[in-house]
Amino acid sequence: ETVGVLGLNQSSTKWGVARTSLCGPRAAENTSTALTMFEQLGFAPGPHLASLAQVHWPGRFSRIELAGFSCPVFLSGDHNLQGIESLVQIFNGMRWKNLHLILGVCADKNTAGMYERLESLPGLRLYLTETPVRTLPLADYPVRALAAATGSDRDVFEVLAMVQRQVQKDDVVVVTGSLYLVASVLQKFGI
């Protein structure tokens, strides 16, 4: 059982309650797997549960502070369909007026499937961009995604500037897709 979306999330394990800053059911599954492996290696997980609250994984639905944004901004390197499914599960526990989703993927990914899973999110404002490595060119995004996009630019920082001009305090901004894309944002802002 997982409780919470933002802040510390709680997962019930056979060793006790594990609190972590990682979000969603997938994070709870990963926590359980890590604790099981820890036990398999001969350690008792129970006394170490409190240390999980210190786990910080940049780019895995991590909140960042960006000047000029009046709403929460998250980086989430969901680079395949399974990752997008996990992201949607996290979204199910959140509320917003508009969801400004900046998507940049690599050329070898199931972009159509990823977009199909995202397109039904309420208040979605989709922005398309390219990744620093192995990018899917903007022209090659699925036709439905191109038609639905609020905006696009090859440069993710131009897209962020575009989004910054449109956000309101009840909105949420998420940069997702390629881990290369997320890493470039982390590096640019020194996070």
Side-chain angles (χ1 to χ4, degrees):
E1 176 185 347
T2 304
V3 178
V5 174
L6 302 176
L8 286 182
N9 300 298
Q10 296 183 156
S11 300
S12 294
T13 72
K14 69 180 188 178
W15 306 281
V17 174
R19 290 176 179 82
T20 177
S21 62
L22 304 177
C23 297
R26 186 193 228 178
E29 292 170 12
N30 289 342
T31 298
S32 181
T33 300
L35 291 170
T36 300
M37 288 304 301
F38 195 62
E39 183 179 57
Q40 296 273 327
L41 292 170
F43 301 98
H48 302 283
L49 292 177
S51 64
L52 291 171
Q54 304 304 312
V55 172
H56 176 68
W57 194 350
R60 288 296 185 184
F61 205 76
S62 56
R63 185 171 179 167
I64 61 170
E65 298 297 326
L66 290 183
F69 282 82
S70 59
C71 66
V73 178
F74 296 90
L75 300 179
S76 196
D78 304 297
H79 58 98
N80 56 33
L81 193 53
Q82 183 183 19
I84 292 297
E85 288 289 340
S86 177
L87 181 62
V88 169
Q89 288 176 336
I90 293 169
F91 286 151
N92 287 335
M94 297 178 67
R95 300 292 171 257
W96 56 79
K97 181 175 180 182
N98 295 297
L99 172 61
H100 301 269
L101 189 76
I102 302 169
L103 179 66
V105 296
C106 293
D108 62 342
K109 301 300 178 182
N110 177 359
T111 309
M114 293 167 76
Y115 173 68
E116 286 172 16
R117 189 62 184 101
L118 294 167
E119 70 182 332
S120 63
L121 291 168
L124 179 65
R125 292 193 178 182
L126 179 68
Y127 303 84
L128 302 175
T129 191
E130 295 184 358
T131 65
V133 178
R134 298 183 2 233
T135 193
L136 177 68
L138 287 174
D140 293 343
Y141 273 82
V143 172
R144 284 177 35 192
L146 288 167
T150 299
S152 64
D153 194 285
R154 294 180 63 209
D155 183 342
V156 68
F157 302 105
E158 291 296 322
V159 175
L160 280 166
M162 187 184 315
V163 170
Q164 181 185 359
R165 292 188 294 271
Q166 298 177 31
V167 295
Q168 300 169 21
K169 68 179 177 97
D170 295 332
D171 292 351
V172 171
V173 176
V174 179
V175 178
T176 191
S178 165
L179 291 167
Y180 299 116
L181 179 69
V182 168
S184 70
V185 174
L186 288 167
Q187 183 177 30
K188 168 88 174 185
F189 295 112
I191 301 169

